[in-house]
Amino acid sequence: LGKDITVTENEARIYYQENKDSFVLEERYIRFRHLIASNFQDANDARIDIMKGISWEIVLDNFSINPDIAMRESERFWPESVALSNYEILNRYLRLIGKSEISIIEKIGNEYHFVQLLEERSAGDHPDLEWLIDQITDWLILEKKRIAFNTYLKNLYLQAQANNEIE
């Protein structure tokens, strides 16, 4: 029972393919950029640089008050209902703007914000396997542990029965 139970990435991929219909997005998922600047001029300059095609990383380094967080958050997909839910106006823009469009700059508190929609996945679509690979791997490990534990219990029972320790 103490043996190491592992799941390969290939096992997780096969599981996903065999059960793909169980993995369907229940709402729209979006990937977007969110820039927070300390003043209007920086936010506006950042917006202009994005429209010029300057890389997001450079724009963040030059104008964002939190470049590491902004970069990390721009790399993943978010359920539309959760995306920037603490900034209702920005969440609303993400629901309205089209792909690659940039919202207007909004002053929220003492900071200046805008968002740009990058990608979207509609409700009913299948998520990318990369979104789920860690979760599927964890599920498969739990399933293997459950099977190993049940096998162990059954063997203990059969051994006790063979030794006339139980009826």
Side-chain angles (χ1 to χ4, degrees), residues 22-46:
S22 300
F23 300 101
V24 176
L25 299 177
E26 294 182 8
E27 67 176 294
R28 180 177 174 236
Y29 274 65
I30 54 176
R31 193 169 71 83
F32 60 92
R33 294 174 173 166
H34 173 213
L35 186 124
I36 305 172
S38 58
N39 60 64
F40 180 82
Q41 190 60 52
D42 281 355
N44 196 48
D45 289 346

Side-chain angles (χ1 to χ4, degrees), residues 2-157:
K3 62 184 173 187
D4 188 31
I5 295 178
T6 60
V7 172
T8 66
E9 187 173 313
N10 193 46
E11 286 177 280
R13 289 181 183 286
I14 290 168
Y15 180 87
Y16 175 76
Q17 290 303 324
E18 289 175 351
N19 298 282
K20 198 170 184 175
D21 290 341
S22 300
F23 300 101
V24 176
L25 299 177
E26 294 182 8
E27 67 176 294
R28 180 177 174 236
Y29 274 65
I30 54 176
R31 193 169 71 83
F32 60 92
R33 294 174 173 166
H34 173 213
L35 186 124
I36 305 172
S38 58
N39 60 64
F40 180 82
Q41 190 60 52
D42 281 355
N44 196 48
D45 289 346
R47 225 173 154 266
I48 290 168
D49 281 359
I50 289 172
M51 288 189 270
K52 287 181 183 175
I54 294 175
S55 82
W56 179 234
E57 190 170 7
I58 291 171
V59 170
L60 289 176
D61 286 342
N62 291 338
F63 304 109
S64 175
I65 63 171
N66 247 326
D68 293 337
I69 292 172
M71 178 58 81
R72 194 170 43 253
E73 290 182 351
S74 71
E75 292 172 345
R76 62 174 281 215
F77 279 81
W78 298 82
E80 185 177 60
S81 61
V82 173
L84 299 177
S85 57
N86 52 334
Y87 299 111
E88 181 55 39
I89 187 72
L90 299 176
N91 180 275
R92 200 170 322 134
Y93 286 137
L94 288 170
R95 293 171 189 264
L96 297 173
I97 62 177
K99 195 172 168 185
S100 80
E101 289 182 349
I102 302 173
S103 73
I104 63 170
I105 297 168
E106 286 288 340
K107 183 177 183 188
I108 302 172
N110 293 323
E111 301 164 332
Y112 295 82
H113 302 246
F114 68 81
V115 291
Q116 179 185 28
L117 183 62
L118 298 174
E119 291 182 70
E120 61 183 311
R121 299 296 282 276
S122 301
D125 283 353
H126 295 283
D128 290 337
L129 173 60
E130 301 314 312
W131 300 4
L132 303 169
I133 195 87
D134 291 338
Q135 193 173 7
I136 290 173
T137 301
D138 290 345
W139 290 339
L140 291 175
I141 288 171
L142 283 174
E143 181 62 13
K144 284 185 175 185
K145 285 181 178 180
R146 186 188 64 75
I147 291 169
F149 180 73
N150 286 341
T151 301
Y152 177 73
L153 282 179
K154 187 173 184 178
N155 287 338
L156 282 177
Y157 176 78

